[in-house]
Amino acid sequence: MEYVDSWRAVAAATGAADRAAAEDGVRLAYRGAGLAEPVEFVWADSPRAAVEAVEKLTDPGRSVRDEVRTRPWADERRRMYDELGPAGWSALWSATGAQLWETTSALADRIRAGVVADLTVKPEDASDVRLVLLDAVLGQHDAAWLAAFDGRGERLDGLAAVARNAGWWWPYERAVVMSERPETLHRDEAGRLDSGAGPALAYRDGFALYAWRGMPVPAEFLAELGALTPERIRAEENAELRRVMLEFYGYDRYLTESGAEPVHRDETGVLWRIPLDGDEDVAMVEVVNSTPEPDGTHRTYWLRVPPRTRTAKEGVAWTFGLRGDTYAPVRQT
């Protein structure tokens, strides 16, 4: 469905919000919920800044998130479920929202965690920040479930308009705090936050998340990736960061420059093992493509296999979901 791609673009949108359009969407959502329109809009440059802005509001009234977001969504879901039946609803969700849910919800979780970490000075601060975050409507990051209802009724039009034009927002009786969208977003092919050259997600006020293939990393950690050596990798005490270093550096390069010796070789390839203090070994099988490249060379591939792999053949077989004693390719390609 084409509109699923449009909602995927909404979830990944960067750059300045269309504030006028977003505010119009909020007003529509309030009217649809039977509420008076808010009298004040407060804009912030990031979800972190928005939480701080919420905490500074003097008389916003109670949160109306249930009225403008939770109840309309529940009512529309119930209506569609009754109209389509269990199988029909499941098929609709699979074709729409499910396509975006995993990556979008994971991104929202990472943003929440980053806001809590940034604003927690004392241990008791964390619970206060989380309470404020519970009042947030996720704007563009509500794209997954909004995709499932696109074109199926007007009840959610206000929420959809805000999502298309802004980031997270906090609805109260008399005031609304609204967040800008991120300036930059970098993800890998699996949709995980990923950047080896700076923030994977950044807002214009400096709030940022750093990650390598989905794994959170410190900002200063990325700065040293370009100067890695095998010695520095071995010296890293954090096992997860050491794995990131190995991926960035390249297993083949690490093996070559470490003077590693092969564990086993046979007709399928060469098994290598990298012992790591305080962590399981990294086992790799080096295989050569039997089909030559256009220039006549044969490309080498490195296959990550389970640490307890004993032979190269067993490792290659594992990548095909087979046991070593049953793996017997008729022709290699």
Side-chain angles (χ1 to χ4, degrees):
M1 298 183 182
E2 289 184 9
Y3 61 83
V4 175
D5 288 335
S6 73
W7 280 108
R8 183 177 285 108
V10 167
T14 56
D18 184 332
R19 295 189 175 190
E23 291 177 8
D24 284 345
V26 170
R27 294 186 185 97
L28 179 58
Y30 271 58
R31 292 196 301 270
L35 299 170
E37 295 180 7
V39 297
E40 180 184 12
F41 287 91
V42 178
W43 280 87
D45 285 340
S46 70
R48 179 188 64 186
V51 168
E52 294 177 307
V54 168
E55 292 173 334
K56 294 175 182 176
L57 293 174
T58 54
D59 186 25
R62 65 179 178 83
S63 170
V64 293
R65 183 183 188 277
D66 281 352
E67 289 94 323
V68 300
R69 196 273 194 188
T70 306
R71 292 177 194 171
W73 177 86
D75 290 346
E76 285 301 290
R77 182 185 183 280
R78 188 178 303 110
R79 182 180 67 82
M80 292 300 299
Y81 188 90
D82 291 343
E83 180 181 318
L84 300 174
W89 166 253
S90 178
L92 173 65
W93 176 251
S94 296
T96 57
Q99 305 294 315
L100 312 178
W101 179 258
E102 185 175 347
T103 55
T104 306
S105 61
L107 179 57
D109 287 344
R110 288 291 307 279
I111 292 172
R112 287 191 193 94
V115 170
V116 172
D118 270 22
L119 296 181
T120 298
V121 178
K122 306 182 297 296
E124 56 268 28
D125 294 341
S127 59
D128 293 337
V129 175
R130 290 191 183 97
L131 284 174
V132 176
L133 288 168
L134 286 176
D135 287 336
V137 181
L138 302 188
Q140 67 180 119
H141 298 139
D142 273 334
W145 67 267
L146 286 169
F149 299 99
D150 192 308
R152 293 177 174 82
E154 300 177 355
R155 185 80 184 275
L156 305 178
D157 284 355
L159 294 169
V162 183
R164 289 190 177 100
N165 294 288
W168 296 18
W169 54 290
W170 281 254
Y172 298 92
E173 284 181 298
R174 289 178 288 279
V176 176
V177 175
M178 308 196 70
S179 170
E180 287 282 350
R181 296 180 294 204
E183 278 197 321
T184 58
L185 173 65
H186 301 288
R187 294 191 285 194
D188 64 11
E189 63 281 356
R192 302 171 298 183
L193 288 177
D194 177 50
S195 175
L201 177 78
Y203 289 80
R204 66 187 188 188
D205 65 350
F207 174 60
L209 301 176
Y210 296 81
W212 172 259
R213 296 182 181 175
M215 178 184 161
V217 297
E220 59 274 13
F221 174 80
L222 292 178
E224 68 168 324
L225 287 181
L228 283 177
T229 63
E231 293 73 25
R232 172 65 186 93
I233 295 172
R234 285 194 294 269
E236 176 56 51
E237 295 180 356
N238 184 302
E240 291 185 333
L241 293 182
R242 192 164 52 206
R243 290 193 197 101
V244 173
M245 289 177 168
L246 279 168
E247 288 185 5
F248 187 89
Y249 197 72
Y251 292 105
D252 53 344
R253 181 183 174 194
Y254 180 86
L255 288 166
T256 300
E257 297 183 6
S258 296
E261 295 293 332
V263 174
H264 178 267
R265 68 173 72 234
D266 56 31
E267 72 279 6
T268 64
V270 182
L271 174 66
W272 300 81
R273 181 170 284 110
I274 304 173
L276 299 174
D277 292 339
D279 195 7
E280 65 182 16
D281 292 352
V282 173
M284 308 286 295
V285 177
E286 177 187 2
V287 297
V288 178
N289 189 354
S290 61
T291 302
E293 298 293 309
D295 62 0
T297 61
H298 291 263
R299 187 172 180 180
T300 298
Y301 292 91
W302 296 82
L303 309 176
R304 181 83 181 265
V305 296
R308 295 183 180 179
T309 301
R310 296 166 299 175
T311 68
K313 183 178 181 180
E314 180 183 334
V316 174
W318 177 85
T319 67
F320 290 99
L322 301 173
R323 299 195 315 272
D325 57 358
T326 61
Y327 176 66
V330 175
R331 176 174 176 265
Q332 286 187 321
T333 59

